[in-house]
Amino acid sequence: MKLHWIKTSWIIKKLFSNYVWDLPNTGNKVYLSFDDGPIPEITEWVLEELKIHKAKATFFCIGDNIEKHPEIFKKVINEGHAIGNHTFNHLNGWKTTTEGYIENFMRCEKSIRKFAINLKPKLFRPPYGKLKIAQSKEIRRLGYKIIMWDVLSADFDQKLSKEECLENVLFNIQSGSIIVFHDSIKAFKNLEYVLPRTLAYLEKNNFICAIIE
């Protein structure tokens, strides 16, 4: 049984309206996003696929991975993609004190700013989508947009076939959708199949892959 929503309900979006779930527009734009990188080879492979289709994306990076792989992180920026904070250690907000969570969040931000001094806008995505009200309030008080999603590929789900993962994306995309993928080792089995086909579908149907602003 799936324990995650693939298409986020309008009810959830309304209940948590302080979060960004989609970005409605008249320009047929969608917003690809990648969580958990930068990771050697995998993030670089993602960048090549995006380049082939002239697509832009937003990368929600883990601070520890930025510190370990700064050259890949800088490559993401140099190729015109947007960057977001995903905490330093991929913390579950529900299982972390607010003080500890904000400290970890700021540690990631410090890693980001080390290599991207003037990076805008300020974007944050909570790992697992799990965040306490107090954590959310503090992060928004600091001027960050909390970016969630309209479509979850669930590429991280080891029980999901690559074909099912592709269906999750293609059956739910619409203009304004924020779509979540993961540039991680765990997700690569599905991502390697899904991303090229998703990009081809978007290109064929005249969607524009834009960065989150």
Side-chain angles (χ1 to χ4, degrees):
M1 184 178 67
K2 293 177 181 176
L3 298 177
H4 35 258
W5 287 301
I6 298 303
K7 181 75 171 178
T8 304
S9 165
W10 67 269
I11 298 173
I12 297 297
K13 293 177 183 180
K14 189 171 183 178
L15 284 173
F16 298 94
S17 58
N18 287 325
Y19 301 163
V20 179
W21 297 93
D22 49 27
L23 294 165
N25 64 87
T26 57
N28 214 31
K29 293 179 182 178
V30 295
Y31 304 87
L32 305 182
S33 63
F34 296 86
D35 291 1
D36 298 353
I39 302 291
E41 299 180 356
I42 296 170
T43 303
E44 292 168 304
W45 175 85
V46 169
L47 291 174
E48 287 305 308
E49 290 298 318
L50 293 173
K51 188 183 296 182
I52 289 169
H53 294 274
K54 299 180 175 61
K56 297 302 179 185
T58 303
F59 288 77
F60 290 90
C61 298
I62 293 173
D64 190 42
N65 285 336
I66 294 172
E67 295 291 342
K68 290 174 180 174
H69 314 295
E71 293 305 316
I72 303 174
F73 180 69
K74 286 186 282 186
K75 187 175 180 180
V76 173
I77 296 169
N78 292 338
E79 295 193 5
H81 304 289
I83 296 296
N85 183 320
H86 202 46
T87 74
F88 194 87
N89 296 109
H90 203 263
L91 295 188
N92 182 330
W94 294 358
K95 297 180 179 179
T96 311
T97 65
T98 296
E99 182 181 2
Y101 196 84
I102 298 302
E103 181 182 347
N104 201 268
F105 161 83
M106 292 305 299
R107 189 178 175 192
C108 179
E109 196 62 24
K110 184 177 179 181
S111 296
I112 290 172
R113 301 294 162 178
K114 186 187 300 185
F115 303 105
I117 298 171
N118 298 314
L119 193 64
K120 294 181 179 180
K122 293 180 176 181
L123 307 176
F124 174 69
R125 175 174 288 153
Y128 315 102
K130 295 179 179 180
L131 197 64
K132 293 176 182 175
I133 292 173
Q135 295 162 351
S136 168
K137 284 183 178 178
E138 180 61 17
I139 288 168
R140 286 184 287 113
R141 187 190 69 79
L142 291 168
Y144 294 81
K145 294 179 182 179
I146 297 178
I147 310 297
M148 303 300 264
W149 58 83
D150 178 49
V151 178
L152 183 69
S153 69
D155 50 3
F156 56 84
D157 190 336
Q158 300 294 294
K159 296 179 181 178
L160 202 66
S161 73
K162 57 188 181 182
E163 291 82 9
E164 288 174 311
C165 186
L166 181 62
E167 288 178 5
N168 287 345
V169 178
L170 299 191
F171 287 1
N172 292 295
I173 282 180
Q174 61 191 66
S175 180
S177 288
I178 296 173
I179 305 123
V180 180
F181 297 103
H182 294 78
D183 52 332
S184 66
I185 294 169
K186 182 180 180 181
F188 192 62
K189 173 182 73 72
N190 286 329
L191 182 67
E192 186 177 26
Y193 179 85
V194 173
L195 182 58
R197 288 163 177 79
T198 297
L199 289 167
Y201 170 87
L202 293 172
E203 192 169 32
K204 181 179 179 181
N205 288 277
N206 299 312
F207 283 99
I208 297 168
C209 296
I211 61 172
I212 299 171
E213 296 183 284

